[in-house]
Amino acid sequence: MKKKTLIIWLFSLFMWLPVLASEPSFTASAPSQVAVGERFRVVYSANKRPASFNGPAFGEFRVLSGPNQSSSSSTQIINGQVTHSENFSFTYILEATREGSFNIPGATITVEGRNFSSNELSIRVSGQAARGAQPSAPAPGQQQAPAAQGVSDRDIYLRAVVSNANPYQGQAVTLTYKLYTRVVVSQYSIEKLPAYQGFWAEDVTPSGQPQVTEEVIDGQRYNVATIRQVVLFPQRSGELSIEPLDMQTLVRVSAPRRSGSLLDEFFGGSPFGGFQNVERNLRSNQVRVNVRALPAQNRPPSFRGMVGSFELNTGLSPLEVNVNEPVTLTLTINGSGNLRMLEKPEIQFPANLEAFDPNITDNIRISASGVSGSRQYEYLLIPRTGGTFEIPPIQFSFFDPAASRYVTRSSPAYSLTVTGTDTATGEGSGAARQEDVQYLASDIRFINNTIFYLQPKGSLFFRSKLFWFLLIGPVFLFAFFLVYWRRHIRLQSNTALLRNRKAQKMARKRLKKAGAFLKSGNSAEFYDEIFRALWGYLSDKLSIPVSRLNKEQVSEVFGQKGVPEEMAGKFLETLNECEFARFAPGSPQTRMDETYQRALDTIVTLEKELKYKKF
Amino acid sequence: MKKLVWWLSGLLFLSPLLLKASPEELIRQANEAYVNGQYSYAIELYESVIEQELESHELYYNLGNAYFKENLFGAAILNYERALKLKPSDENSLFNLEVARTRTIDRINPVPLIFYERWWKNFYSKLSVDGWSWMIIFLLLGFLAAMGAFFFSRTRGMKKTAFGVSLIFAVAMVVSLAAVRAQYSNTYKRKDAIVMVPRATAKSSPGEASPDLFVIHEGSKARITSELGEWYEVRLANGNVGWVKKYALEVI
């Protein structure tokens, strides 16, 4: 009986075994120590299929992913003993954000209607500022360690080198990141690129695998790989610093023997000597560049910040066109320097020469030695009127850092001859199109560039002594002259009047004398005296000197004075007779008497006539 | 020996006069400086000529141009106005004055004149005071010549013509006398001034404490109607009246 009950007891115990073995368990596991920024897993595992899973609050940790559910089951037969185990796991990937010790409360699951809580986790976050990133998926059969072990800073480091630590503003500087290693790097990735503040950057990293060279530093042989190359153009002067570049590498190191199980050894380690990939974060040195400002003196007005060495080539074709036909002005700037920052040159095109925005063709090569190539501007110009257009020389200035001076390149001045007249405008061909004069700018007129007369300040002619003198002087002068002239006239007219009055007396005197000659029979003297008497009378009467009298004038004057024609005829006849007789002496006595009488009559009648006709 | 001493002492006395550049030479140099773009130097030279108590409308015009190029529009306007005072019809001065006025801040609309006032003002502004003075002298001589012709001509027709001509001269002379009077009172009897400071505040009475009435800016023209201490009473072209500090204004 005793034996039988024992057997039953044993059996019943045996029957309980699977029940005991399948008692639900729920545990949480996580590394106890991580670094700030490091990513790590928290795994909750249960041995029974849970009906529900409630994750905990992770507090200071950032959840990157999860919960990711996975399950596995295994059946083991050891010495005929069959064990069956199932495993359900919920995995979180967390990132540590802050230094310190943190607790993660347990998660809960519901299994077969009962709630189970996992253990609490305590994680210490250390301040080692390693910027961890999700490591690239490790190759199968490789295991990764959270931090590098057994790799020193002398084994692998990153160095940033500038080609010129003291460049001019705008001068190209090549920045090279070199990776120095004495270990095998299986993988690398650039984590963070610097912003290159104060620079204009062009990436010139050669594509493909980085070239590896060997260098010996301090007796140690290093493999040097150029990871990245950037051409920088400083945009401002002063001391500029370039932020370091962050990089993550996986370094293959020989794995230390760990007291792991054989299974671990088998699956985790390399079967060929035990290597493992170690994550290592690298940071380059900070580079300081002291940028020199461009000199302010001798800076040409056409300077627009170009630094380097350039040539300017221009061309205008054709040089002779008709109106409204296009002309191309090409302007090529080639050389090395910050060509990308080239500004459109300012060209003062003459008015009536329409210029369109230029067509820009770039042929720019960027390499570690800088930027070189050419940029071409193609201007389309259309002359709208005939004539000759002068395109002034185009100036292009740059700073030559090698010579430390400004250089100005100038194009020749072009003269464009445009023939023909404007015909294309408007439909009515031949209709003259007039334009107002276009004022290009409003400016003052030019100075009077002559030597001019200066007068004493504030001197005024008006009301000056000279003014009054010139005003009053002529009036006085005029008045004086007038008075003088009047008197003169009066005097003169008096003599004439006297002579006029005495004319008959004089004539009679002469005639008396002639009468005496008549008696004595001196005919020549007689006629001479008669002649003189007549002329003298007329001269006195008309106020005309004897020397200026002649016969034609006499008849004219008589006509004016209204003396009858027959009177004039008689007078002239008598005169003629006297003249004739003077040069032909020996005339008879009777004739002389007659002439005497006639002369007397003429004078008497003339006296009458002229007395009534006063002037 | 004595003679030599006399010569030397004479030279010593005269040398300052010899060294002093003639005004013509100064103007030549100033014009050259202006042409070369050295405007401030040109201003210096022109001003040195004016300091010798000499003036001409060309001189003020050139000086105004130099000030304009130096962006001193108040001084430019002042000098153009001075040039126009000597030659009111100078086209270049009028043109440049207009250009300079466009660069100033204030736009003061003058009180409009009645049409005949405008005509009369346009007429008498054609010549300066001295121009009208010479015109009067010329007309007087013409009048006297015509009178002389009237007295000495013997025929009736000649006398008639001469009388008519002398009458025309007489009327023209009377008009010129009126014009010279108007021009004289317009330019010399009243005082116009230009604001020379960037901004000047006009007060209601001569005193810092009195309230501000309006603000006038550089280049504006104002007529000085009265003065008291360091204050001028000014009247703007639009009729506003206020008291402005003397240093802010420069009389044309």
Side-chain angles (χ1 to χ4, degrees), chain A residues 324-545:
Chain A
N324 290 327
E325 280 180 11
V327 186
T328 313
L329 176 74
T330 44
L331 194 145
T332 314
I333 292 166
N334 57 354
S336 59
N338 45 356
L339 263 174
R340 286 263 173 92
M341 303 179 71
L342 184 62
E343 279 177 33
K344 192 167 77 175
E346 285 164 30
I347 306 174
Q348 285 287 316
F349 289 110
N352 287 330
L353 185 64
E354 199 173 328
F356 294 90
D357 273 345
N359 192 10
I360 301 171
T361 317
D362 274 352
N363 180 18
I364 298 175
R365 293 176 302 278
I366 299 172
S367 66
S369 57
V371 178
S372 64
S374 68
R375 174 171 280 191
Q376 190 182 56
Y377 294 92
E378 216 174 69
Y379 287 88
L380 184 69
L381 311 174
I382 297 180
R384 295 299 187 195
T385 59
T388 306
F389 292 91
E390 295 289 342
I391 298 172
I394 301 158
Q395 306 273 342
F396 171 72
S397 300
F398 59 90
F399 182 77
D400 188 353
S404 289
R405 66 188 174 89
Y406 290 101
V407 181
T408 301
R409 303 262 188 248
S410 182
S411 75
Y414 289 104
S415 177
L416 175 68
T417 309
V418 182
T419 51
T421 48
D422 191 356
T423 51
T425 48
E427 303 220 328
S429 60
R433 191 171 58 113
Q434 280 199 318
E435 281 181 6
D436 285 335
V437 176
Q438 288 175 15
Y439 283 100
L440 305 173
S442 94
D443 195 11
I444 53 168
R445 291 187 187 166
F446 192 60
I447 54 163
N448 185 330
N449 199 4
T450 55
I451 301 300
F452 33 79
Y453 169 74
L454 290 162
Q455 63 195 39
K457 210 168 176 178
S459 72
L460 199 58
F461 171 65
F462 181 62
R463 308 223 284 200
S464 66
K465 277 177 187 156
L466 181 69
F467 174 72
W468 292 123
F469 176 75
L470 285 177
L471 199 66
I472 295 163
V475 176
F476 269 102
L477 213 67
F478 182 75
F480 177 77
F481 186 68
L482 208 65
V483 169
Y484 172 79
W485 186 251
R486 285 293 251 197
R487 222 161 113 192
H488 176 76
I489 291 284
R490 202 162 58 232
L491 280 172
Q492 231 182 12
S493 58
N494 278 355
T495 22
L497 210 67
L498 211 67
R499 279 175 63 181
N500 191 340
R501 236 179 263 155
K502 286 180 177 169
Q504 206 184 6
K505 227 181 196 171
M506 284 292 289
R508 280 187 190 281
K509 223 184 213 170
R510 286 205 171 105
L511 283 177
K512 214 183 229 171
K513 213 173 173 184
F517 288 126
L518 176 71
K519 288 210 174 88
S520 66
N522 193 344
S523 67
E525 292 291 332
F526 168 77
Y527 282 114
D528 198 40
E529 208 59 38
I530 293 285
F531 188 77
R532 269 204 229 152
L534 286 172
W535 272 129
Y537 173 75
L538 205 63
S539 165
D540 286 350
K541 213 62 190 168
L542 301 178
S543 309
I544 301 167

Side-chain angles (χ1 to χ4, degrees), chain B residues 26-247:
Chain B
L26 286 173
I27 285 169
R28 200 189 57 72
Q29 286 178 8
N31 288 355
E32 200 178 292
Y34 183 94
V35 171
N36 294 333
Q38 304 158 325
Y39 301 118
S40 55
Y41 183 50
I43 289 169
E44 212 173 286
L45 291 170
Y46 286 133
E47 290 282 14
S48 73
V49 174
I50 292 172
E51 270 168 32
Q52 296 182 27
E53 295 294 316
L54 292 170
E55 66 178 4
S56 84
H57 72 92
E58 295 99 332
L59 176 62
Y60 286 129
Y61 170 72
N62 288 3
L63 179 57
N65 279 3
Y67 274 122
F68 183 94
K69 291 289 184 186
E70 285 285 295
N71 288 337
L72 297 164
F73 300 119
I77 287 172
L78 178 76
N79 282 288
Y80 291 141
E81 292 275 10
R82 281 178 175 165
L84 287 170
K85 197 167 162 180
L86 296 178
K87 193 184 177 193
S89 60
D90 188 50
E91 206 210 333
N92 287 337
S93 299
L94 285 169
F95 181 88
N96 286 4
L97 177 62
E98 275 313 303
V99 174
R101 275 195 186 139
T102 60
R103 307 290 173 94
T104 60
I105 295 163
D106 293 335
R107 187 176 54 189
I108 299 166
N109 293 321
V111 178
L113 295 170
I114 311 168
F115 66 98
Y116 61 82
E117 285 178 329
R118 207 165 56 236
W119 291 347
W120 174 234
K121 192 177 161 67
N122 276 346
F123 176 73
Y124 73 68
S125 299
K126 287 275 179 265
L127 288 176
S128 67
V129 169
D130 281 359
W132 282 119
S133 304
W134 282 108
M135 177 64 95
I136 288 164
I137 301 290
F138 166 75
L139 290 172
L140 178 73
L141 291 175
F143 172 73
L144 291 178
M147 285 304 284
F150 172 74
F151 280 121
F152 299 126
S153 62
R154 283 163 189 277
T155 59
R156 192 169 283 265
M158 278 283 282
K159 272 185 190 296
K160 260 187 179 169
T161 315
F163 186 73
V165 170
S166 67
L167 209 65
I168 291 169
F169 272 114
V171 170
M173 207 163 73
V174 170
V175 171
S176 300
L177 277 167
V180 79
R181 229 183 97 91
Q183 183 71 296
Y184 183 74
S185 65
N186 189 34
T187 45
Y188 292 99
K189 276 205 172 160
R190 72 167 201 231
K191 279 161 92 182
D192 280 342
I194 300 293
V195 181
M196 299 298 285
V197 294
R199 48 174 282 143
T201 311
K203 306 253 180 190
S204 63
S205 57
E208 293 287 358
S210 57
D212 296 350
L213 290 183
F214 51 88
V215 171
I216 41 178
H217 296 93
E218 186 177 357
S220 294
K221 193 176 174 180
R223 177 170 305 172
I224 295 166
T225 49
S226 174
E227 62 178 295
L228 183 76
E230 53 178 12
W231 296 84
Y232 276 135
E233 188 192 42
V234 296
R235 174 191 287 273
L236 301 186
N238 60 13
N240 285 334
V241 176
W243 289 86
V244 179
K245 280 258 179 133
K246 272 184 179 174
Y247 73 85

Side-chain angles (χ1 to χ4, degrees), chain A residues 1-10:
Chain A
M1 185 58 203
K2 221 178 176 176
K3 198 180 176 180
K4 200 177 175 180
T5 48
L6 189 72
I7 289 165
I8 289 166
W9 265 103
L10 280 171

